[in-house]
Amino acid sequence: MDARPAENRPVREPGSNDFIRSIIDADNRSGTYGGRVHTRFPPEPNGYLHIGHAKSIVLNFGIAEEYGGRCNLRFDDTNPEKEELEYIESIQQDVRWLGFDWQDRLYYASNYFEQLYEFAERLVGKGLAYVDELSADQIRETRGTPTEPGTNSPYRDRPVAENLDLLRRMRAGEFADGSRVLRARIDMAAPNINLRDPILYRIRRVSHPNTGDSWCIYPTYDWAHGQSDWIEGITHSICTLEFENHRPLYDWFLDALDARTPGRPRQIEFARLNLGYTVMSKRRLLELVREGHVAGWDDPRMPTICGMRRRGYTPGAIRNFCRSIGVSKTNSQIDLAMLEFHLREDLNKRAPRVMAVLDPLKVVIENYPAGKAEQIEAENNPEDPSAGTRMLPFTREIYIERDDFREDPPKKFFRLAPGREVRLKHGYYITCRQVVRDPSSGEITELRCSYDPQSAGGSTPDGRKVKGTLHWVSVAQALEAEVRLYDRLFSVANPAEDAQRRNVDYKSFLNPDSLRVVEGCKLEPSLREAAPGTTFQFLRQGYFCVDSTDSSAEKPVFNRTVSLRDSWAKIERADKPT
RNA sequence: UGGGACGUCGGCAAGCGGUCAAGCCACCGGGUUUUGAUCCCGGCAUUCGGAGGUUCGAAUCCUCCCGUCCCAGCCA
């Protein structure tokens, strides 16, 4: 039981009751585990964590927290051919960043290799496992198909003593890689193919990140996972749907080892997270990195945790998202808008507001004194008064967003246009008097405006209304920066499935506009001290963070995390067809 | 054609035989607003993959059908 007083324990929100929590509730009622709840997050260290793993992390650690239980971090490192230290380190960093703590319970399946081997000898001793000498191809051929049963290996009925001897010699390194395997002796005619004498050990002379060269036989997932759960005292072993067919095997091994006591682990499967416009398989993510379609595992377009972190996502946003999508057994795909909603919700509360002009258009305020530079006090976050204020320089020459001016304004456009008056956020009202263009190209190069000295601070004594409020940056003090505008990585919702169906490479659906680099953006000078990784709201535009690897004082680089909702863009889009 | 699972609003997802089919996102209105942001208010499934059946009463139980996903790695 949780030692903390009830009021300090995380409270389960009503409505957050999913089928897994219902199972746990029932187990708690029946006393199956004596009220104990112990989960684990078991990544294989063969790649970086992505948003799909976040769902599992939030589920496993979240359940442990809610029930006053524990959650282990366990590396499922049974296949040294694919696993690397780099991944072991990044995974820990990502889980920690997401806000979870495994305390002193950092485990590896490889910690149990000796114990697992003893279990294997036990199975052999009971006549429940045998050493097979069939080749990989022969094993595949004799396994049968979903509709036809397999056939027994000629080595299936060896005496126990011979099997034991062979297994020990396998471990001792007497046989060549791939020449022998240890298989469970179950049923070659089982309708569930996983039960057709599955392999427990294979011979691989590969050095392991954790155990080095002390083993030349390695356990398979099926053999290692359930037993590791049992060793750790896991009560609820939560995994994804594709392991559903493995559950009978999970249970068979536990039975075979006489783990019949109450409290033996129980495997529960849920549907993995699918998101639109991206790919989630480690194989594909690795390929995108290796082939240079993205700048690395932490490219801000990647659905990896480190990519999202670099993009400007917050742990809280990811956690809220994972909690809000629910847990079920239905194969589903979550709308990207859901993720973005939680991102904006979190950032809206915490991101300081600043002004930045991405596509600058110069404005000269003709009746404002040339040498004058006022300091205007501006709030940092209307959602959070404790965020304080900062000073903004205001001068005769400023930049506004090119798109905030229309020479021929469409209906419902209430920004700047010839003769129109708008408010400069925190500043004055200005009216457009003249449009200056480049005589050769015809491009608008400058706007000549006048300001109303009475409108300081953004309102006038006569109380007249202006419909538009624009963001701006003073020319003389502007900080120049590069801004990277990110969009979805793929241009179709289901790149992997579409590719398979149409028999093309999923990479042909890569969105060519997933990154737009904008140079020469003008930022308010307060951003000069912005620390790498911090996220701001660029007023009226979106959330942007200082790129953690490419930004420098000499050349600031900002990533667009997510845009603000934009109902004007919606109106404009809707009006266009007419 | 074998086995395992899943099908409730555009996307998720509650619901576990008894007024009315939660909630969130999206979408559509309307209000507030020195961010066309935020915030607020309102709308949004006579119907639960389909067809039968059981019952006074079914999304919830039964039968059949349809659709989708997973399984033939010495990957996890």
Side-chain angles (χ1 to χ4, degrees), chain A residues 213-441:
Chain A
D213 296 317
S214 49
W215 291 85
C216 67
I217 58 171
Y218 290 101
T220 54
Y221 164 86
D222 283 313
W223 175 239
H225 202 93
Q227 278 51 257
S228 300
D229 285 340
W230 186 33
I231 291 167
E232 291 180 15
I234 299 304
T235 54
H236 303 269
S237 180
I238 301 168
C239 62
T240 44
L241 247 30
E242 66 271 27
F243 293 102
E244 206 155 27
N245 295 330
H246 294 240
R247 179 152 33 95
L249 182 53
Y250 184 102
D251 291 334
W252 189 91
F253 284 140
L254 256 16
D255 284 342
L257 294 168
D258 295 313
R260 293 164 202 277
T261 51
R264 63 132 75 165
R266 163 175 192 174
Q267 178 179 303
I268 303 168
E269 313 84 16
F270 72 99
R272 62 179 341 139
L273 168 67
N274 292 299
L275 264 186
Y277 300 94
T278 191
V279 291
M280 214 73 103
S281 83
K282 285 196 219 172
R283 192 206 101 215
R284 294 196 180 88
L285 294 175
L286 181 65
E287 195 171 276
L288 292 173
V289 172
R290 292 223 170 122
E291 295 178 6
H293 297 102
V294 293
W297 284 102
D298 70 343
D299 185 295
R301 291 166 292 185
M302 293 280 274
T304 49
I305 302 302
C306 54
M308 295 172 78
R309 177 164 61 229
R310 185 167 169 196
R311 172 83 169 251
Y313 273 80
T314 57
I318 295 174
R319 272 187 256 116
N320 290 343
F321 167 73
C322 289
R323 284 194 263 258
S324 76
I325 55 177
V327 181
S328 74
K329 300 189 68 154
T330 316
N331 272 311
S332 60
Q333 185 175 65
I334 276 78
D335 200 327
L336 221 46
M338 186 73 117
L339 218 205
E340 294 185 342
F341 168 81
H342 287 284
L343 216 209
R344 292 190 182 106
E345 180 185 56
D346 196 50
L347 257 14
N348 177 49
K349 285 180 289 189
R350 36 179 26 117
R353 272 59 170 173
V354 294
M355 293 200 284
V357 175
L358 269 31
D359 184 10
L361 173 59
K362 192 168 164 185
V363 169
V364 178
I365 304 164
E366 295 183 303
N367 59 337
Y368 194 89
K372 190 172 171 187
E374 278 182 76
Q375 290 294 321
I376 298 173
E377 185 173 23
E379 65 185 350
N380 286 331
N381 188 347
E383 303 290 323
D384 177 14
S386 74
T389 63
R390 69 189 183 287
M391 301 309 283
L392 291 172
F394 185 88
T395 60
R396 177 180 157 92
E397 297 193 345
I398 60 168
Y399 294 114
I400 65 166
E401 209 67 58
R402 188 167 284 273
D403 195 44
D404 281 339
F405 173 78
R406 295 292 167 83
E407 199 160 22
D408 184 19
K411 273 263 173 289
K412 292 187 238 173
F413 182 88
F414 47 83
R415 276 114 92 145
L416 199 60
R420 289 252 193 112
E421 184 175 53
V422 296
R423 172 168 39 232
L424 295 175
K425 178 79 180 176
H426 303 302
Y428 294 94
Y429 290 3
I430 58 168
T431 303
C432 178
R433 301 296 177 191
Q434 196 197 140
V435 179
V436 182
R437 359 175 65 99
D438 181 315
S440 52
S441 68

Side-chain angles (χ1 to χ4, degrees), chain A residues 43-48 82-84 87-88 91 282 286 297:
Chain A
E44 183 191 11
N46 67 344
Y48 280 69
K82 295 182 181 172
E83 295 153 6
E84 291 170 28
Y87 300 131
I88 291 178
I91 288 169
K282 285 196 219 172
L286 181 65
W297 284 102

Side-chain angles (χ1 to χ4, degrees), chain A residues 15-32:
Chain A
S16 73
N17 227 333
D18 51 71
F19 79 99
I20 296 178
R21 281 172 246 249
S22 301
I23 290 171
I24 294 173
D25 288 341
D27 285 340
N28 280 163
R29 273 194 304 276
S30 66
T32 307

Side-chain angles (χ1 to χ4, degrees), chain A residues 111-151:
Chain A
N111 291 159
Y112 315 130
F113 280 179
E114 190 62 49
Q115 171 83 76
L116 255 13
Y117 176 80
E118 282 167 30
F119 285 160
E121 285 207 353
R122 217 192 283 177
L123 285 202
V124 170
K126 292 173 105 177
L128 295 176
Y130 63 98
V131 173
D132 199 351
E133 292 176 42
L134 254 26
S135 69
D137 284 345
Q138 293 175 124
I139 287 179
R140 180 168 19 86
E141 284 156 17
T142 53
R143 187 154 23 224
T145 69
T147 51
E148 308 159 273
T151 51

Side-chain angles (χ1 to χ4, degrees), chain A residues 6 45 49 74 92 166 222 238 248 263 296 309 338 375 456 469 564:
Chain A
L49 257 28
R74 179 167 82 229
Q92 294 183 62
L166 254 12
D222 283 313
I238 301 168
R309 177 164 61 229
M338 186 73 117
Q375 290 294 321
T469 300
L564 247 29

Side-chain angles (χ1 to χ4, degrees), chain A residues 80 110 113 204-216 218:
Chain A
S110 57
F113 280 179
R204 276 298 106 85
R205 265 161 260 257
V206 179
S207 172
H208 187 283
N210 226 0
T211 59
D213 296 317
S214 49
W215 291 85
C216 67
Y218 290 101

Side-chain angles (χ1 to χ4, degrees), chain A residues 551-570:
Chain A
S551 193
S552 64
E554 304 74 55
K555 196 190 177 193
V557 177
F558 281 78
N559 298 320
R560 181 171 68 194
T561 307
V562 65
S563 62
L564 247 29
R565 288 186 60 200
D566 187 352
S567 54
W568 163 244
K570 227 177 271 178

